[in-house]
Amino acid sequence: MGEEIEFRRWDELIPDALGLIFRNLPLQETLTVIPRVCKSWGRAVAGPYCWQEVDIMEWSKFRTPETITRMLQMLVLRSSGSLRKLCVAGLPNDQCFSFIADHANSLRTLQLPRSEISDLIVEQVAARLSTITFLNVSYCKTIGGPALEAIGKHCKHLRKLQRCMHGWELLDRVSQDDEALAIAATMPKLKHLEILYLRISTEAVCQILLKCPELQLLDVRGCYSVKLDERFAKKFSGLKVIGPGSDNEGWDECSNNSVSSGYLAWDFVASVMDDDFDEEMLDEAWEDDQSMEDVEMRFYDGFYLDNGGFDWPLSP
């Protein structure tokens, strides 16, 4: 007889292993389907194992500030201090930014495009973001040179910075040289810098090139006041400069990690949540004003199978 093979039950997998698997699922499935499978899977989703990397960028683009705040707080708290990556668009206020900083002991990647944060709050909490290596503060209209200077002074491990804008957002600004000079003065270890459509001068960009010797990519598309001499740029070996003139416009072209203008077709729905994740939030997140019973029935009947990312069996 052949040797018998022992199959291990899925619900007996350790939480760490389950977390690695569940991280590959879309947010909706992780929060709504997985907890219904069995108790051990529900415990894994409720703990930090799935939330070391939190990416709600697409989900957050068309949500109310209150809904974004509640979701952010729930997921960050679930990470229990192990959060390494956080991506959310449209952070509504300084309080949310301070909350993130309070739980940033392990944070490496922080993407907060289109967020309503101020220079003052960044200056106050930047010291708590010292582990960050990649920061995206594109399209944040209410910060400037003081915020970038504070980030540079305290985030010594920063290697990649995205600070892109839309041209029409800068009509009331004469110059943003203070931002470029803050980068040059405080971020000498940068390797990747995107500053699309900033109103900066050639002199300010030259300061960045001179004081950031490890820079490998500089993207200045849309910075039409910048006139870089080709012979000057060739002095920096290993440096790739993109722009300032380009046929590619819009934030989709910033880089592979930039914020997209699209949005997910599904709306967030939850039922097996923390005790403080109340029915009111569910109503806000689900825009069709349907009861949770209707939502659950439609989901399991295959209504969202095309957008769910994998094949769930139809209800019997």
Side-chain angles (χ1 to χ4, degrees), residues 30-211:
T30 304
L31 289 174
T32 63
V33 176
I34 296 302
R36 292 189 175 104
V37 175
C38 63
K39 290 182 179 180
S40 65
W41 287 22
R43 286 192 295 268
V45 171
Y49 315 104
C50 296
W51 311 111
Q52 294 177 358
E53 297 185 0
V54 173
D55 188 344
I56 54 173
M57 186 79 78
E58 298 296 330
W59 175 88
S60 61
K61 287 179 182 176
F62 296 95
R63 297 303 182 277
T64 66
E66 295 79 11
T67 304
I68 293 173
T69 299
R70 292 185 187 181
M71 176 66 80
L72 176 69
Q73 290 175 346
M74 183 188 71
L75 298 184
V76 170
L77 289 175
R78 284 190 180 190
S79 72
S80 300
S82 62
L83 187 65
R84 294 197 302 260
K85 176 181 177 180
L86 176 62
C87 307
V88 53
L91 206 67
N93 51 51
D94 285 351
Q95 289 74 24
C96 286
F97 188 75
S98 181
F99 173 79
I100 292 171
D102 289 339
H103 299 82
N105 295 337
S106 304
L107 196 59
R108 298 291 184 272
T109 295
L110 181 60
Q111 297 198 58
L112 303 173
R114 294 194 297 167
S115 292
E116 297 294 330
I117 55 178
S118 66
D119 285 328
L120 180 60
I121 192 61
V122 176
E123 291 174 309
Q124 290 175 349
V125 307
R128 287 177 258 162
L129 300 170
S130 60
T131 59
I132 287 179
T133 61
F134 171 28
L135 177 66
N136 181 357
V137 285
S138 297
Y139 320 112
C140 297
K141 297 181 291 184
T142 50
I143 61 171
L148 294 180
E149 182 178 359
I151 290 292
K153 285 181 177 179
H154 294 285
C155 302
K156 298 301 183 181
H157 301 288
L158 191 65
R159 297 296 181 267
K160 181 175 180 178
L161 175 66
Q162 291 178 342
R163 175 62 177 148
C164 308
M165 300 293 289
H166 292 301
W168 52 266
E169 293 177 320
L170 305 174
L171 295 178
D172 59 340
R173 297 196 186 186
V174 177
S175 172
Q176 289 176 288
D177 274 358
D178 61 327
E179 297 190 22
L181 295 175
I183 292 170
T186 64
M187 304 180 188
K189 298 294 186 180
L190 274 184
K191 296 181 181 294
H192 185 125
L193 177 61
E194 298 179 14
I195 46 177
L196 279 70
Y197 291 94
L198 261 62
R199 294 197 168 189
I200 53 178
S201 64
T202 302
E203 292 75 15
V205 172
C206 288
Q207 285 297 308
I208 292 176
L209 294 178
L210 290 170
K211 295 186 178 181

